[in-house]
Amino acid sequence: SSVEMAKAMAQLIDNEVFRAFATYAAIVLLKMMLMSLITAYFRITRKAFVNPEDTASLGKGESAKKYLRTDPDVERARRGHLNDLENIVPFVGIGLLYALSGPELSTALLHFRIFTAARILHTFAYLIPLPQPGRGLSWAVGYSVTFSMAYRVLRTAWLL
Amino acid sequence: SSVEMAKAMAQLIDNEVFRAFATYAAIVLLKMMLMSLITAYFRITRKAFVNPEDTASLGKGESAKKYLRTDPDVERARRGHLNDLENIVPFVGIGLLYALSGPELSTALLHFRIFTAARILHTFAYLIPLPQPGRGLSWAVGYSVTFSMAYRVLRTAWLL
Amino acid sequence: SSVEMAKAMAQLIDNEVFRAFATYAAIVLLKMMLMSLITAYFRITRKAFVNPEDTASLGKGESAKKYLRTDPDVERARRGHLNDLENIVPFVGIGLLYALSGPELSTALLHFRIFTAARILHTFAYLIPLPQPGRGLSWAVGYSVTFSMAYRVLRTAWLL
């Protein structure tokens, strides 16, 4: 049974569509995790914190309190992070179901690669920031890819 | 091996519980994605933006700055979106493990359908808004369904 | 086919790494869901709400409006919840792919257990609050575990 399981898992990991999904899902999740580091970088360099305990090393009493403030760069990074959550979570959930629905490898790769590129562009467009419609378009492209995968999942899986 | 994999995936997609999960997971994730469009709709119709680059087409300098403001409808849609993230993410993660734990189809469908209905009601209750306890109850129903699925997952999977 | 599927699912659920993943993923997702209850507890005991319809039972007109306010404990619980979303979502997504990549059980358990312990500590560090670097370290430990799993996923799955 352990041998059979190992065989079943080897099959899954041998499947090229599933391997492609695992690769791009890991990349976009790591990209999303990177937003935490960018927010932390801006909090430290701009000295803009939200928790009193985070400013203890910067001084005592009133002199530390002045660092409990918002900063435009910190807030921008946080909005980019939340936008990632709102868009990368559906991609990973729907993408897993899509990868299991048996699409052509070339079609699947097209979906995964366009989504990944669009979300990386979205982050640059948000942080630089690029003039609109740069950010809007990169958002819409990623959104459309997830929508297209959801359409195939529903067509394949819908219980009649 | 590619043939065996295709067979294994065909089995997964043939499994009625897994197909039901794929259907309802895709529906609630699409419903969550819809919140982005609702927020964008309110931002545009109420002219309430947060990024300076988003107001560039509305005027120059001071005349555009007045659109960098919060609006009650925009904030309400954003809270509904965040509440979806907080509740639909656990449903999808725990629901996948639940679907693989071998529940009865009728029991699984009951869980998936009640959760989906509760979250759709929650969105209407939040956006209209309905008087409490409308929103609170729809939240609690969805929460309880996910909790019930987690209980079965832990009972089935727990390493002793 | 239904018999074969049942066999394939029994194999998956018999696999110790997958069972370990299911256990710890369910635990951290439940922990994340607990943050909703903690936020609700603070909203009710501190009488600090954000939706007008939530204060209707506390009085009419102006006397209810004074409860539409922010409270430090409510905001702290909300930040803890958002931090969970930002960190537990990547753990569940990458952890599932990691569990399917065939790691040693002892290595996998080490990853899952350290992450789970780190996130529980993070919640205590945030809510008490503990002086820094308590919260920062518990965050960094969980982050590193997910990063380590992503490294194995990419090494195993990367399409060459």
Side-chain angles (χ1 to χ4, degrees):
Chain A
S1 163
S2 162
V3 171
E4 285 176 55
M5 178 65 205
K7 238 170 84 183
M9 304 224 307
Q11 280 169 28
L12 196 58
I13 219 72
D14 275 355
N15 179 257
E16 284 184 315
V17 170
F18 192 81
R19 278 170 62 199
F21 171 71
T23 303
Y24 291 100
I27 289 171
V28 291
L29 287 169
L30 285 171
K31 194 228 76 58
M32 184 170 89
M33 289 172 68
L34 183 63
M35 300 309 288
S36 297
L37 297 183
I38 293 173
T39 301
Y41 169 79
F42 282 131
R43 281 204 185 284
I44 291 165
T45 55
R46 270 61 169 170
K47 292 192 178 148
F49 299 92
V50 65
N51 296 298
E53 66 269 25
D54 301 352
T55 62
S57 65
L58 297 172
K60 295 195 172 183
E62 291 306 312
S63 73
K65 257 188 194 167
K66 66 170 180 257
Y67 302 120
L68 296 177
R69 57 188 187 87
T70 57
D71 170 89
D73 291 326
V74 170
E75 296 308 307
R76 188 172 276 279
R78 292 182 63 219
R79 289 196 298 275
H81 200 167
L82 187 57
N83 196 282
D84 271 356
L85 270 171
E86 293 169 357
N87 289 279
I88 290 174
V89 163
F91 170 80
V92 171
I94 290 171
L96 174 67
L97 302 171
Y98 171 80
L100 296 172
S101 77
E104 289 292 321
L105 176 62
S106 57
T107 316
L109 277 173
L110 202 67
H111 281 80
F112 302 157
R113 284 174 178 165
I114 291 174
F115 182 88
T116 304
R119 293 310 302 181
I120 291 171
L121 277 173
H122 183 271
T123 300
F124 279 103
Y126 219 146
L127 292 181
I128 292 178
L130 295 182
Q132 287 285 26
R135 195 183 87 238
L137 278 182
S138 60
W139 172 84
V141 168
Y143 195 89
S144 307
V145 168
T146 305
F147 203 86
S148 163
M149 296 193 306
Y151 175 74
R152 186 187 157 91
V153 168
L154 287 176
R155 219 186 39 188
T156 312
W158 199 285
L159 283 181
L160 297 178
Chain B
S1 161
S2 162
V3 172
E4 284 176 55
M5 179 64 205
K7 237 169 86 182
M9 304 225 306
Q11 280 169 28
L12 196 58
I13 220 69
D14 274 356
N15 180 257
E16 283 183 317
V17 171
F18 191 81
R19 276 169 63 196
F21 170 71
T23 303
Y24 290 100
I27 289 170
V28 291
L29 287 169
L30 285 171
K31 194 226 76 57
M32 185 171 88
M33 288 171 68
L34 183 63
M35 301 308 288
S36 298
L37 297 183
I38 293 172
T39 301
Y41 169 79
F42 282 131
R43 282 205 185 283
I44 291 165
T45 56
R46 270 63 169 168
K47 293 191 179 155
F49 299 92
V50 65
N51 296 298
E53 66 268 26
D54 300 353
T55 63
S57 64
L58 296 172
K60 295 195 172 184
E62 291 306 309
S63 74
K65 257 189 192 164
K66 66 171 182 256
Y67 301 119
L68 295 178
R69 57 189 188 86
T70 58
D71 170 271
D73 291 326
V74 170
E75 296 309 307
R76 189 172 276 278
R78 292 182 63 219
R79 290 196 298 275
H81 200 166
L82 187 57
N83 197 282
D84 270 356
L85 270 172
E86 292 169 358
N87 289 279
I88 289 175
V89 164
F91 170 80
V92 171
I94 291 172
L96 174 68
L97 302 171
Y98 171 80
L100 296 172
S101 77
E104 289 291 322
L105 176 62
S106 57
T107 316
L109 276 173
L110 203 67
H111 280 80
F112 302 156
R113 285 174 177 165
I114 292 174
F115 181 87
T116 303
R119 292 309 303 180
I120 291 171
L121 276 172
H122 184 271
T123 300
F124 279 103
Y126 220 146
L127 293 180
I128 292 177
L130 294 183
Q132 287 284 22
R135 195 182 87 238
L137 278 182
S138 59
W139 172 84
V141 168
Y143 195 89
S144 308
V145 167
T146 305
F147 203 87
S148 163
M149 296 194 306
Y151 175 75
R152 186 187 157 92
V153 169
L154 286 175
R155 217 186 42 187
T156 312
W158 200 285
L159 283 181
L160 297 177
Chain C
S1 162
S2 163
V3 171
E4 283 175 57
M5 178 65 206
K7 238 169 85 181
M9 304 225 308
Q11 280 169 26
L12 196 59
I13 219 68
D14 274 355
N15 178 258
E16 284 183 315
V17 171
F18 192 81
R19 276 171 61 198
F21 171 71
T23 303
Y24 290 100
I27 289 172
V28 291
L29 286 170
L30 286 171
K31 194 227 77 58
M32 185 169 89
M33 289 171 67
L34 184 63
M35 301 308 289
S36 297
L37 297 183
I38 293 173
T39 301
Y41 169 80
F42 282 131
R43 282 206 184 282
I44 291 164
T45 56
R46 270 62 169 170
K47 292 189 177 154
F49 299 91
V50 65
N51 296 299
E53 67 269 26
D54 300 354
T55 63
S57 66
L58 297 171
K60 296 197 172 182
E62 290 307 310
S63 73
K65 258 190 193 167
K66 66 170 182 256
Y67 302 120
L68 295 178
R69 57 188 188 87
T70 59
D71 170 88
D73 291 326
V74 170
E75 297 307 308
R76 189 172 276 280
R78 292 182 64 218
R79 289 196 297 275
H81 200 167
L82 187 57
N83 196 282
D84 271 356
L85 270 172
E86 293 169 357
N87 289 278
I88 290 175
V89 163
F91 170 80
V92 171
I94 291 172
L96 174 68
L97 303 171
Y98 171 80
L100 296 172
S101 76
E104 288 291 320
L105 176 63
S106 56
T107 315
L109 276 173
L110 203 66
H111 280 80
F112 302 157
R113 284 174 177 163
I114 291 175
F115 182 87
T116 304
R119 292 310 303 181
I120 291 171
L121 276 172
H122 183 271
T123 300
F124 279 103
Y126 220 146
L127 292 181
I128 293 178
L130 293 182
Q132 287 285 24
R135 196 184 86 240
L137 278 182
S138 59
W139 173 84
V141 168
Y143 195 89
S144 307
V145 167
T146 305
F147 203 86
S148 163
M149 295 193 307
Y151 175 74
R152 186 187 157 90
V153 169
L154 287 177
R155 219 186 39 189
T156 311
W158 200 285
L159 283 181
L160 297 178

